[in-house]
Each structure stands twice: as C-alpha cells, then as structure tokens.
C-alpha cells in the first residue's frame, strides 16, 4: 500500500495542526484482513491480471476511506456497483463471491453474502408480478452483493411492453437510494453488455466500475486444470500434462469453448474414464497412486482426439 | 391514550435504530418477518392487514426497514407492527411482535355498559376512533 493518497487528501481540507498526524495505513490494512483475501485471490485464481488490479484499487479506496473516517474526514459513500464482462468461464461468479468477502471485510457491506440471480428471478410473468419479485430479491440481497448474471436479458429491445424494463427501473432506484445497503454486480458477455448499457444510459451512469475479464491463455488453462485436479485430490501423470495441452489446443478451436468451465468439464470426463479404466482393468495390484493419477489414456479417449467433435451426443446451446 | 401491545409494550416507542437491531436479532435466529397495519386499536383485534408478503431468507435488516418505511409512508396515521415468525418445530408461532408506528393522536377508549336481564350490567370498551369509518379514523 502507498501512503501518498491519504497524505495529499488530508492536506486539502484539514487544519495545519492535524496534518502531520502519522497514519498507520499498514495497521489498518492488517486489521481488515484484506491481504488474506487478496492473497487467496492470487493463489486460487490463475491469470486475470486486470481484474486483480481493479479489486486491489477498490480495496485501497475503501481502506483509505475507512482511515479517513477515523479522522472525521468525510467522504461520500463511493458507488461500488460493478459490471463484470467477459466470455463464459472466465471467473465472473467466482470473483463476485470474493468481492463480497472483500467488501464485507472493509465494512462496506454489512453481511457479505452473495445473491446470484438471473432474469427469471427478477421479472414476473404477468402485470404486477415483476415489482414484488424484484423487490423480494433486492431485500434478500441487502447487506450483501446482488449478482445479476446475463443482465442484458433484463432489457428486450424488440418488446416495448416487456416487464424487464419495470425491473430495471426498480433496480436503478434502489441502486441510487440505498448504496449503503447493497452492491449490484451485473455480469455478461462483453458485446451484449455494451449494447445493454447503450440502451439503458441510466444503468450505465450508475455503475462506476466496469471490469473486463480476459480469456485465459493456454498456459493459464493448464495451470487451472492442475489446480482443479489438486483440489479434488487427483494429479496428472508426468506425460499426461503434454497430452492435456494438446487436448486444450484442439478443444479451443471447437465451438462453445468456455474457458475454465470447459476445463472443468473435460477433467470431470477424464475422471470418469479413469474410473472406468480402473473398473475394467486388472483389479489386483492397485495402489493409491492409481486412484489419484490421471493418465494420457484417460485424456486421449476423448472424442476431441478421435474425430474432432465435442464429447457429447448433441452440442449444448452454449458453454461446454 | 397510548396503546401498548406485544413484545416491548412496557418500553417507550423504539427508535429506528432499535427497531433495526431487533430485526437483525430476528434474522440471526432465522425467523421470517412481516409487516402489518390497522386502524382498529381494539386489543382483541388480532386480524391486522398485511403489508405485502412475509419476508423469508433475508440477511440484513435493511430489507425489512424498507417495507416498514414504505408502510409508514402509505399509512402515517395507522398502527404498524413487525411480526417475526419462528417456524422451528415445536415453536411455529409468532416469536416477536412489536409496534413500530402509531397515530399522532390516540383518542383512547370509552366504557360501555349494557343492561342485561336481572339487573345485570355487562361492560365492554369501545374505541372512540372506531366511531368513524375505516380509513378515516385517525
């Protein structure tokens, strides 16, 4: 943490006598246990440099605000509504959970829980159904973070009488008037979110932080795969890593590639094949090592290798 | 005459801060809350109107306060109370119920005597407010 921002801000509006009070930002930082969460974020989330940088900025702002409050330097509550844009499987939901935790530790939200919803949870099916539904969700999210996945579905340009508009209006009102009570995070694909904000300028102007989630690189995906396996107490055999890399290269060129989510699904299928291999193979002489190791054969059995198609009967609507 | 009833009937009216703290206590216990209002102050009037639907799965008092304030705004001269329902097996009842809003002027009750057979007198109370029709009482 840098102490400069506090220092210069102090000078702007305090009497000279108080200006030189030493400020232990480090202690405040330690007290809030923010470093722990940031470290955890670094450890468990591979890549996502711009996202982490942005979270750090937000944490810094809130921490400095908190210290300032200790010196009676009032600052308006900053607006922390955010939009997370990025392709599927880039960690938007995961980061939102962490964000809720960070905001809670810094005292910005009182409870720090995350309520994840989609259009279905907010918009009703008949006249007069939408407002109570949206309000109920908002009430549940108060004291925490409301995460609206695929928020652009709230607004349907082609239908003027769509109830989504009503929901957006209620959201806007609460986002403006009850900034202390909840933080709203909108998430979705980049291009469609941009279109959404263009047609809802009120929403765009109330969201201070736009965070873009980049796609993962091949190396990052492999690292993510390794972490996922380790979390489930599995590991790649030494030669399996290269095969998995090969798999990912091929998979990335197929349709419906969903970054970390595709890695997760691929690994789940590998585990299944591994289980079948152990089940059908020689059952004597098996060791714990066999139970935890994913071998090249488990990966190579994928249809991505055999005939270059996805590992399922029908391609899904999206994600994989 | 100040009407009192419910959990904190012996205390002065709760401030918003105190109401918030009580609601937080209810939520911590996992109780469902709802807001009710009436303009019939009779102590035996147990059927108050519901303000919206009961609130389940809330985490923070802000959500309930939102409804309390909305109800106060719509009915500034009604009685408004907050109830918390404990659905735990064995309880399944209102755990807390307290008044959060009251009319500025509460005219109180008169004693009504009714002649009954054999020189018997039956007594009851009658709220002066209920002389006027519902909605115009306070």
């Amino acid at each position: 943490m840098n102490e400069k921002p506090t220092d210069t801000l102090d000078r702007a509006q305090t009497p000279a006598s108080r200006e030189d009070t030493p400020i232990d930002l480090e202690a405040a930082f330690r007290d809030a246990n923010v470093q722990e969460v940031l470290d955890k974020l670094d450890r468990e989330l591979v890549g996502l440099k711009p996202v982490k940088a942005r979270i750090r900025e937000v944490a810094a702002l809130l921490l400095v605000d908190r210290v300032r409050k200790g010196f009676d330097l009032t600052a308006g509550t900053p607006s922390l509504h955010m939009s997370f844009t990025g392709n599927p499987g880039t960690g938007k939901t995961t980061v939102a959970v962490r964000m809720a935790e960070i905001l809670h530790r810094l005292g910005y939200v009182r409870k720090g829980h995350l309520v994840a919803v989609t259009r279905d949870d907010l918009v009703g099916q008949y006249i007069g159904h939408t407002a109570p539904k949206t309000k109920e969700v908002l009430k549940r999210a108060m004291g925490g973070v409301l995460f609206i996945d695929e928020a652009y579905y709230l607004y349907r340009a082609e239908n003027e009488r769509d109830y989504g508009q009503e929901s957006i209006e209620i959201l806007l009102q609460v986002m403006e008037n009850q900034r202390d009570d909840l933080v709203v995070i909108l998430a979705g694909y980049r291009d469609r979110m941009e279109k959404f904000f263009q047609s809802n300028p009120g929403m765009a102007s109330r969201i201070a932080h736009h965070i873009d989630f980049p796609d993962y690189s091949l190396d990052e995906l492999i690292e993510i795969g390794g972490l996922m396996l380790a979390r489930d107490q599995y590991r790649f055999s030494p030669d399996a890593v290269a095969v998995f890399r090969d798999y990912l290269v091929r998979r990335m060129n197929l349709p419906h590639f969903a970054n970390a989510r595709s890695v997760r699904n691929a690994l789940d299928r590998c585990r299944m094949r591994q289980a079948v291999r152990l089940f059908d193979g020689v059952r004597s002489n098996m060791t714990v090592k066999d139970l935890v190791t994913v071998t090249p054969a488990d990966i190579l059995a994928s249809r991505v290798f055999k005939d270059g198609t996805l590992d399922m009967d029908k391609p899904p609507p999206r994600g994989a | 005459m100040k009407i009192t009833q419910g959990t904190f009937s012996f205390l002065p009216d709760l401030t918003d801060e105190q109401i918030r703290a009580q609601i937080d206590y209810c939520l911590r216990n996992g109780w469902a809350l709802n807001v009710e209002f009436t303009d019939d102050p009779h102590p035996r009037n147990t059927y108050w109107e519901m303000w919206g639907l009961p609130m389940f799965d809330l985490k923070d008092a802000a959500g309930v306060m939102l409804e309390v304030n909305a109800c106060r705004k719509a009915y500034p001269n009604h009685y408004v109370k907050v109830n918390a329902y404990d659905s735990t097996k064995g309880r399944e009842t209102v755990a807390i119920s307290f008044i959060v809003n009251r009319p500025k002027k509460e005219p109180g009750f008169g004693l009504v005597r009714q002649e009954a057979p054999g020189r018997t007198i039956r007594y009851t109370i009658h709220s002066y407010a209920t002389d006027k029709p519902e909605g115009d009482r306070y």
Side-chain angles (χ1 to χ4, degrees):
Chain A
M1 293 295 292
N2 194 341
E3 286 202 17
K4 268 224 173 88
T6 336
D7 212 29
T8 40
L9 284 171
D10 267 352
R11 208 149 289 163
Q13 38 181 282
T14 46
S17 58
R18 233 175 32 152
E19 260 177 35
D20 299 324
T21 320
I23 290 164
D24 194 358
L25 210 52
E26 197 55 50
F29 193 60
R30 262 198 318 274
D31 288 346
N33 282 327
V34 184
Q35 192 58 49
E36 194 186 311
V37 189
L38 290 177
D39 283 347
K40 210 168 126 197
L41 202 70
D42 250 345
R43 243 191 348 263
E44 290 175 10
L45 295 182
V46 177
L48 297 178
K49 283 262 155 53
V51 177
K52 286 175 186 163
R54 206 55 196 272
I55 292 179
R56 216 185 140 73
E57 280 168 30
V58 170
L61 171 71
L62 290 180
L63 189 76
V64 170
D65 252 16
R66 208 162 92 156
V67 175
R68 279 170 55 103
K69 215 169 271 166
F71 288 91
D72 288 331
L73 295 166
T74 50
T77 331
S79 166
L80 276 190
H81 304 308
M82 287 173 242
S83 103
F84 287 0
T85 53
N87 288 327
T90 43
K92 298 185 287 288
T93 315
T94 316
V95 170
V97 177
R98 296 294 157 74
M99 193 56 115
E101 198 179 336
I102 292 174
L103 294 179
H104 177 51
R105 294 208 179 188
L106 286 164
Y108 189 81
V109 294
R110 287 185 296 271
K111 299 290 186 313
H113 60 292
L114 182 91
V115 176
V117 297
T118 55
R119 179 190 157 95
D120 274 1
D121 303 288
L122 295 169
V123 179
Q125 287 161 359
Y126 42 84
I127 293 182
H129 190 203
T130 303
K133 230 177 151 180
T134 304
K135 273 192 192 140
E136 202 206 305
V137 168
L138 282 166
K139 278 184 275 177
R140 255 197 298 141
M142 275 181 186
V145 172
L146 176 64
F147 181 77
I148 306 177
D149 207 1
E150 302 187 270
Y152 36 77
Y153 283 132
L154 283 179
Y155 179 75
R156 294 221 167 121
E158 70 277 7
N159 184 358
E160 244 176 59
R161 287 186 299 177
D162 183 61
Y163 300 140
Q165 192 61 42
E166 195 183 343
S167 184
I168 291 176
E169 274 155 30
I170 296 169
L171 273 177
L172 284 180
Q173 200 189 340
V174 173
M175 280 165 77
E176 188 62 30
N177 299 338
Q178 282 171 291
R179 256 183 278 170
D180 301 346
D181 291 329
L182 87 165
V183 169
V184 177
I185 297 180
L186 305 178
Y189 305 135
R190 198 170 314 148
D191 44 338
R192 302 179 74 173
M193 282 307 279
E194 266 162 29
K195 228 179 274 161
F196 173 73
F197 284 129
Q198 266 165 27
S199 37
N200 293 282
M203 193 62 103
S205 64
R206 278 174 184 83
I207 290 184
H209 305 268
H210 292 263
I211 304 184
D212 201 39
F213 286 62
D215 280 343
Y216 292 111
S217 68
L218 182 59
D219 289 322
E220 283 167 352
L221 286 173
I222 291 169
E223 202 183 330
I224 290 169
L227 278 175
M228 282 177 179
L229 278 186
R231 205 173 303 152
D232 295 338
Q233 311 250 323
Y234 280 90
R235 62 168 177 257
F236 283 126
S237 70
D239 40 349
V241 180
V243 180
F244 190 61
R245 171 183 283 267
D246 194 18
Y247 169 86
L248 282 178
V249 171
R250 286 162 194 250
R251 180 67 188 84
M252 281 164 92
N253 291 321
L254 290 174
H256 309 304
F257 180 67
N259 289 290
R261 201 176 303 149
S262 288
V263 172
R264 155 107 278 161
N265 291 343
L267 290 175
D268 282 350
R269 283 191 295 270
C270 283
R271 281 167 54 189
M272 205 147 59
R273 289 190 207 103
Q274 185 235 23
V276 171
R277 176 170 56 82
L278 294 178
F279 189 76
D280 291 344
V282 201
R283 288 187 210 173
S284 54
N285 295 333
M286 227 172 59
T287 60
V288 177
K289 200 178 157 212
D290 290 318
L291 284 180
V292 300
T293 312
V294 175
T295 63
D298 302 326
I299 305 168
L300 282 167
S302 164
R303 212 179 295 168
V304 174
F305 281 105
K306 277 189 201 141
D307 41 84
T309 54
L310 295 174
D311 271 318
M312 47 197 68
D313 305 329
K314 267 184 257 161
R318 71 188 160 71
Chain B
M1 189 199 126
K2 187 184 162 210
I3 308 281
T4 58
Q5 61 157 274
T7 314
F8 305 110
S9 56
F10 50 92
L11 292 176
D13 284 345
L14 299 182
T15 64
D16 275 14
E17 199 66 30
Q18 289 164 335
I19 293 170
R20 202 176 269 271
Q22 290 302 335
I23 294 172
D24 260 329
Y25 169 79
C26 298
L27 293 175
R28 267 206 305 282
N29 283 297
W31 298 340
L33 287 126
N34 85 327
V35 178
E36 294 181 344
F37 63 95
T38 190
D39 61 354
D40 179 359
H42 196 283
R44 290 291 182 90
N45 169 26
T46 45
Y47 298 109
W48 292 37
E49 311 279 340
M50 277 174 71
W51 174 261
L53 296 171
M55 289 164 270
F56 301 96
D57 304 327
L58 264 56
K59 290 279 192 309
D60 191 78
V64 182
M65 284 310 284
L66 188 78
E67 293 301 341
V68 166
N69 287 328
C71 185
R72 280 171 169 169
K73 204 172 151 197
Y75 298 104
N77 270 321
H78 278 50
Y79 294 94
V80 177
K81 70 178 173 187
V82 170
N83 297 327
Y85 178 78
D86 182 359
S87 64
T88 323
K89 236 184 156 107
R91 285 289 292 280
E92 305 191 356
T93 180
V94 169
I96 275 188
S97 166
F98 56 97
I99 292 180
V100 293
N101 192 58
R102 59 175 69 250
K104 271 169 218 75
K105 249 182 75 187
E106 299 170 278
F109 296 86
L111 186 71
V112 179
R113 294 181 182 82
Q114 187 189 38
E115 301 279 355
R119 297 189 60 80
T120 314
I121 297 280
R122 288 190 177 132
Y123 298 95
T124 188
I125 53 165
H126 169 74
S127 162
Y128 296 123
T130 53
D131 289 340
K132 280 179 255 163
E134 209 177 328
D136 298 327
R137 285 174 183 164
Y138 290 97

